[in-house]
Amino acid sequence: MNAHRASQRVAVSILAAATFLCLAIVAFVIGFVLEKGLPQLSWEFLFTKPRDMGKAGGILPAIVGTLALSLMAIAVALPLGVGTAVYLAEYTRETRVTKVIRFGTDCLAGIPSIIFGLFGYIFFVTTLKMGWSLIAGALTLAIMVLPTLIRTSEEAIRSVPQSWREVSMSLGATRWETVRKVVLPNALPGIVTGVMLSFGRSIGETAAVIFTAGSSFRLPKSAFDSARTLAVHFYILAREGISTDKAYGTAAVLVIAVLAVNGLTYALMGGFMKRKAR
Amino acid sequence: MKASSDAFVRRLLLAVACTTVLCLLVIAAFIFKEGLPFLLKVGPGNFLFSSDWRPDSGHYGILPMLVSSLYVTFGALLVGAPLGIAGAIFLSEFGPPALARVAKPAIELLAGIPSVVFGFIGVMVLAPIIRGAAGGPGLSILAASLVLGVMILPTIMSISIDALAAVPQSYREGALALGATKWQAVRMVVVKAAGSGLLAGTILGMGRAVGETMAVIMVAGNAVRMPRSVLDSGRTLTANIALEMGYATGMHRQALFATGIVLFVFIMILNGLASSALKRRAGKR
Amino acid sequence: MTPKVEVRDLRVFFGGEEALRGVSLDIAANRILGVIGPAGSAKTTFLRALDRMNELKAGCRTAGRVLVDGEDVYGPACDPVALRKRVGMVFAMPVPLPLSIYENVVYGPRLNGVRNKAELDGLVEECLRAAFLWDEVKDRLGGSGLKLSGGQQQRLCLARTLAMRPELILLDEPCSGLDPISTARIEEALSLLKERHTIVLVTNNTKQAARASDETAFFLMGELVEMGPTGRIFTNPSDKRTEDYVTGRFG
């Protein structure tokens, strides 16, 4: 018996050590970037254009490019994602068609971003002659984040109590009226969670973006202009050794953005869970 | 009147729902259209098993990249899987719930951090340490494995936590009632019951490792050579595509798309394995 | 007088299972029909067949005919959405929609395109009064329907159904989760409502059927055992099984 207790103690200690190592890694990654990067941040860095290939100046075009690209991608993917989720959760039962759709969604989720980059380049940039542009990058990203949006939206829709649908239908609402008036408003927090996750993914994506949106320094004037996102800018600064300081600064901005998005998502999900528990 | 408009909405939504499948098909079609003719012309055997990659003189063998990818992927698994699964077991079975509430989102945060940032930390911190401690260039298969291992942690950990949570409480109680210690109950009953879920998490983590590009480019060294040890520089399939895509034309570009096909097929196999592992779990319940 | 609802050989199947096994009966206008029977006797399935709510569940098939005012509910010309506007339903558990009290009541009328504020206001007061809820909530119509007590919620659901001005009201064990006072309120409301509506009241409480209904139908194992004036069913049933049930020997 004592031997069993001792082996339990050893095993649990090892597991605990592994857990704390994981947490230490998280703390180190975030701490390291912020420690090196925060001193680089200033109004000038955030709100001026880069000079001298990025050796000096700021990252304004990259911030604008990142926001424009992410928002465009979500604007395209959101209706598709929510529409698919509504179809899967409300308009059909499990059939061969839904199996195919679910399988397609899973596959899409697993495709590495470099493949999306290749595809976006050959399809949007070359075949559809969009060139390196925000629009080509956004469409590529939209396909990438679609599975996340579908999954989170479907989960949110399924968490709406069945009885509310029955009541709505018993009062003479059509399926679609029920979806619009009862289901979607109450699935909203979950759908927003999906949007935030997609937003986070778009901000950090590099491989798919660099081949589709390009890496122009200039402030994009329209959806057909090439643009450089923060992640791409950071990659070029770091990889080509242009400026380690500016790279750290950009990394800090990226990490802060990710922290903000995750924090917001977590707060939203917390509220959502509380509501569900009621 | 109303019913017919509802039928219209249904058809519209079905069409929307099919876009995912359509996207998948178009992606596959374009990658294959660009890469397949090349693959057939050079021959899959020559392409996969020759270690001579000199596109400017018409030699297209991706064996070194294939081997590097495998090294890096399994290296990442050696780092990420034990840590992720051990962490998941501790958080769901032994640790205080308050710790799990904090630790889970903290580790999921890792999934949100851009891969380029991981790569950069690998370059600035890890590579010098490896160079100092073990020699070699520093930027190496080992560095890439460590960085990727950390990157796939959240995938493995969160799927493992879900799998453990799905094990019915009665299993634990049953084992404890027979006089097992908590560790015995976890080791012999809970982990076994969650086994296919843990496996699925690991396979999906593997998929992430195979497909990761930017971080690997930054830390793996990218030499087009057969790696002889983990301290050697190596170039993965993904890195090969990303590094040469910028200037490749003609046959060379087709060769990169053919590399994409290899990657695509590999990922699909991994996804199939993971989903059949998850299905097995669902079937067992 | 022709009956409000004629049910002919109504059968409902879930998967391969026949839940409702060939029921035929007539429901007279402006009366309350009480439907009693032990759990699993398909009372609810019968009720939900009247406004085609069963078909929202997977694997459900219905055979036979239900005529409301002579129109076949399962005929090709019948739109279930239009049908459900004429036939109101109150469920066993009170289910307010996650909206304000006011918006709960006007949910149906708004679907019908009523936009006029004065009309909606009038409707809200009328229906809440008819459901004996007005005095308790008139000062907080903008408050959430979810914040009411169980008994108030169920009366809100009744008011919401009334706002559709349904000809036929179906109640599925509406008082099963309520205290005696709330139950009395709802029964009182029903006795006034039958002047303008036809009511079917499914209940697992035989005493409620005895108190509230004009006619009573006794269901057992998916079949209609017998139906007749409530007084006769409870004092002089013709079937031994009915007698056993109403005297409390089983169920």
Side-chain angles (χ1 to χ4, degrees):
Chain A
M1 197 60 209
N2 271 337
H4 289 160
R5 293 231 167 276
S7 79
Q8 162 151 325
R9 208 163 322 133
V10 171
V12 174
S13 312
I14 293 172
L15 293 176
T19 309
F20 287 106
L21 180 57
C22 295
L23 291 173
I25 292 170
V26 179
F28 172 76
V29 168
I30 294 169
F32 179 80
V33 171
L34 292 183
E35 193 216 314
K36 299 274 188 179
L38 283 181
Q40 307 297 329
L41 298 190
S42 65
W43 288 119
E44 198 222 334
F45 183 69
L46 291 177
F47 295 114
T48 59
K49 295 181 186 178
R51 294 189 308 274
D52 200 9
M53 296 303 286
K55 271 199 195 71
I59 54 171
L60 180 67
I63 292 178
V64 173
T66 305
L67 288 177
L69 194 70
S70 308
L71 293 178
M72 281 166 68
I74 286 168
V76 173
L78 186 61
L80 293 176
V82 174
T84 304
V86 168
Y87 180 77
L88 290 176
E90 300 286 330
Y91 277 86
T92 183
R93 312 213 155 95
E94 294 305 307
T95 61
R96 207 168 303 145
V97 177
T98 60
K99 274 206 192 95
V100 171
I101 294 170
R102 275 180 218 286
F103 178 73
T105 311
D106 286 349
C107 286
L108 215 53
I111 291 181
S113 51
I114 183 71
I115 300 270
F116 281 104
L118 279 184
F119 165 73
Y121 174 72
I122 199 74
F123 187 67
F124 295 120
V125 175
T126 314
T127 308
L128 297 184
K129 299 197 169 58
M130 292 177 182
W132 281 305
S133 59
L134 279 174
I135 184 88
L139 290 172
T140 310
L141 273 183
I143 302 176
M144 273 182 81
V145 299
L146 197 51
T148 311
L149 280 172
I150 293 173
R151 275 187 206 158
T152 46
S153 304
E154 189 184 348
E155 213 168 291
I157 287 168
R158 287 196 188 277
S159 77
V160 174
Q162 193 57 33
S163 57
W164 293 354
R165 296 183 179 86
E166 289 210 334
V167 163
S168 174
M169 305 283 281
S170 81
L171 289 167
T174 60
R175 187 55 85 170
W176 177 237
E177 282 167 335
T178 303
V179 166
R180 240 178 41 218
K181 294 186 160 223
V182 176
V183 177
L184 286 183
N186 288 289
L188 198 60
I191 296 173
V192 172
T193 305
V195 169
M196 299 305 282
L197 288 174
S198 308
F199 193 63
R201 184 146 184 223
S202 308
I203 292 174
E205 183 49 46
T206 314
V209 171
I210 201 166
F211 293 121
T212 51
S215 56
S216 159
F217 265 122
R218 268 172 316 176
L219 209 56
K221 297 239 169 8
S222 83
F224 295 94
D225 277 356
S226 166
R228 172 183 287 206
T229 66
L230 282 168
V232 170
H233 184 60
F234 169 76
Y235 171 74
I236 293 172
L237 290 183
R239 171 128 183 90
E240 298 179 2
I242 293 169
S243 162
T244 310
D245 287 348
K246 297 289 176 198
Y248 277 126
T250 313
V253 173
L254 274 172
V255 167
I256 290 168
V258 167
L259 285 174
V261 166
N262 274 45
L264 217 55
T265 314
Y266 201 63
L268 273 171
M269 279 220 305
F272 190 44
M273 291 304 176
K274 243 178 261 152
R275 209 191 47 141
K276 264 207 312 202
R278 192 178 54 196
Chain B
M1 221 0 240
K2 273 281 175 59
S4 70
S5 81
D6 218 30
F8 169 73
V9 171
R10 176 194 299 271
R11 272 199 295 276
L12 187 71
L13 289 175
L14 173 60
V16 166
C18 288
T19 46
T20 16
V21 181
L22 188 72
C23 286
L24 186 69
L25 291 179
V26 173
I27 290 173
F30 270 83
I31 304 286
F32 277 85
K33 192 194 92 180
E34 291 292 310
L36 202 58
F38 169 86
L39 205 55
L40 295 178
K41 198 162 115 200
V42 175
N46 287 334
F47 185 61
L48 290 174
F49 301 115
S50 148
S51 53
D52 190 5
W53 177 266
R54 275 177 299 151
D56 38 352
S57 55
H59 291 85
Y60 302 101
I62 59 165
L63 190 63
M65 285 69 122
L66 211 55
V67 171
S68 293
S69 271
L70 289 178
Y71 268 145
V72 167
T73 303
F74 282 103
L77 276 188
L78 284 180
V79 175
L83 268 185
I85 292 175
I89 292 175
F90 183 76
L91 288 178
S92 23
E93 305 292 329
F94 294 103
L99 177 67
R101 268 200 300 280
V102 179
K104 216 182 154 212
I107 286 161
E108 277 164 9
L109 202 57
L110 276 185
I113 291 182
S115 53
V116 280
V117 171
F118 283 107
F120 191 54
I121 294 177
V123 173
M124 302 307 283
V125 182
L126 212 49
I129 294 177
I130 292 174
R131 192 161 48 230
L139 296 176
S140 57
I141 303 247
L142 177 62
S145 299
L146 289 169
V147 167
L148 277 181
V150 170
M151 289 179 69
I152 64 174
L153 253 185
T155 308
I156 295 180
M157 200 147 166
S158 64
I159 294 174
S160 299
I161 287 177
D162 289 347
L164 291 167
V167 176
Q169 198 55 35
S170 57
Y171 285 26
R172 297 177 180 87
E173 285 163 4
L176 291 176
L178 291 172
T181 63
K182 199 162 177 204
W183 166 239
Q184 285 171 323
V186 167
R187 184 168 51 100
M188 296 191 290
V189 180
V190 180
V191 170
K192 213 166 160 203
S196 39
L198 303 181
L199 182 67
T202 307
I203 296 172
L204 287 176
M206 194 171 161
R208 251 205 101 179
V210 175
E212 180 47 47
T213 312
M214 298 323 252
V216 176
I217 291 186
M218 294 170 88
V219 294
N222 303 324
V224 190
R225 230 182 321 127
M226 206 53 122
R228 282 177 308 263
S229 84
V230 291
L231 295 174
D232 247 7
S233 163
R235 175 186 287 204
T236 63
L237 294 169
T238 51
N240 193 41
I241 299 172
L243 286 168
E244 301 192 357
M245 196 55 207
Y247 58 86
T249 50
M251 278 280 273
H252 185 190
R253 200 175 81 174
Q254 290 182 343
L256 297 181
F257 275 88
T259 315
I261 294 179
V262 174
L263 207 55
F264 191 89
V265 170
F266 198 54
I267 293 285
M268 287 299 135
I269 291 172
L270 286 182
N271 279 350
L273 287 177
S275 75
S276 77
L278 283 174
K279 236 176 250 144
R280 198 141 38 97
R281 194 184 79 188
K284 232 176 8 193
R285 247 180 299 160
Chain C
M1 206 174 85
T2 55
K4 180 78 185 168
V5 182
E6 296 165 69
V7 178
R8 292 292 172 266
D9 195 30
L10 183 63
R11 293 168 191 275
V12 179
F13 304 83
F14 289 109
E17 210 84 8
E18 187 173 15
L20 195 66
R21 304 173 173 197
V23 168
S24 301
L25 55 76
D26 289 347
I27 304 172
N30 298 92
R31 306 293 284 277
I32 299 180
L33 169 66
V35 178
I36 59 171
S41 54
K43 308 184 295 281
T44 298
T45 303
F46 166 73
L47 194 73
R48 292 168 69 100
L50 299 182
D51 67 343
R52 290 180 65 173
M53 286 293 281
N54 280 325
E55 63 197 55
L56 299 180
K57 292 218 168 84
C60 167
R61 192 167 62 78
T62 309
R65 291 203 301 166
V66 175
L67 306 179
V68 177
D69 288 332
E71 185 200 342
D72 188 358
V73 161
Y74 287 94
C78 180
D79 174 3
V81 171
L83 171 72
R84 290 180 200 130
K85 287 188 169 149
R86 289 162 55 201
V87 181
M89 182 165 235
V90 176
F91 296 86
M93 296 303 294
V95 185
L97 292 171
L99 302 167
S100 69
I101 294 171
Y102 186 96
E103 286 300 324
N104 260 286
V105 178
V106 302
Y107 186 86
R110 276 197 203 279
L111 289 174
N112 278 347
V114 180
R115 293 275 175 273
N116 184 322
K117 177 87 170 89
E119 193 182 339
L120 290 174
D121 288 350
L123 198 61
V124 167
E125 180 169 352
E126 178 200 321
C127 296
L128 287 173
R129 276 189 194 284
F132 289 99
L133 187 60
W134 174 254
D135 289 333
E136 292 163 54
V137 301
K138 64 183 176 199
D139 300 323
R140 46 172 171 148
L141 292 176
S144 168
L146 296 168
K147 293 231 167 73
L148 298 173
S149 74
Q152 289 172 326
Q153 288 189 355
Q154 195 61 306
R155 278 176 280 152
L156 175 61
C157 294
L158 181 59
R160 185 176 60 196
T161 303
L162 294 177
M164 294 299 292
R165 303 196 186 286
E167 304 149 30
L168 181 63
I169 302 177
L170 311 175
L171 299 109
D172 183 8
E173 303 187 8
C175 303
S176 55
L178 302 188
D179 60 279
I181 296 170
S182 302
T183 304
R185 286 268 165 81
I186 288 186
E187 286 174 14
E188 200 180 343
L190 293 183
S191 66
L192 294 174
L193 285 170
K194 72 175 177 184
E195 284 169 23
R196 301 224 312 246
H197 308 270
T198 304
I199 296 171
V200 182
L201 171 65
V202 164
T203 176
N204 52 5
N205 176 349
T206 44
K207 291 201 189 78
Q208 180 172 52
R211 280 194 306 265
S213 65
D214 302 307
E215 288 193 280
T216 299
F218 174 57
F219 276 60
L220 187 64
M221 316 275 286
E223 285 167 20
L224 173 64
V225 175
E226 79 175 289
M227 174 173 158
T230 298
R232 183 181 72 69
I233 292 286
F234 279 90
T235 54
N236 187 21
S238 51
D239 193 293
K240 178 78 169 64
R241 291 171 293 175
T242 315
E243 188 184 343
D244 285 350
Y245 183 72
V246 297
T247 54
R249 256 179 235 152
F250 77 95

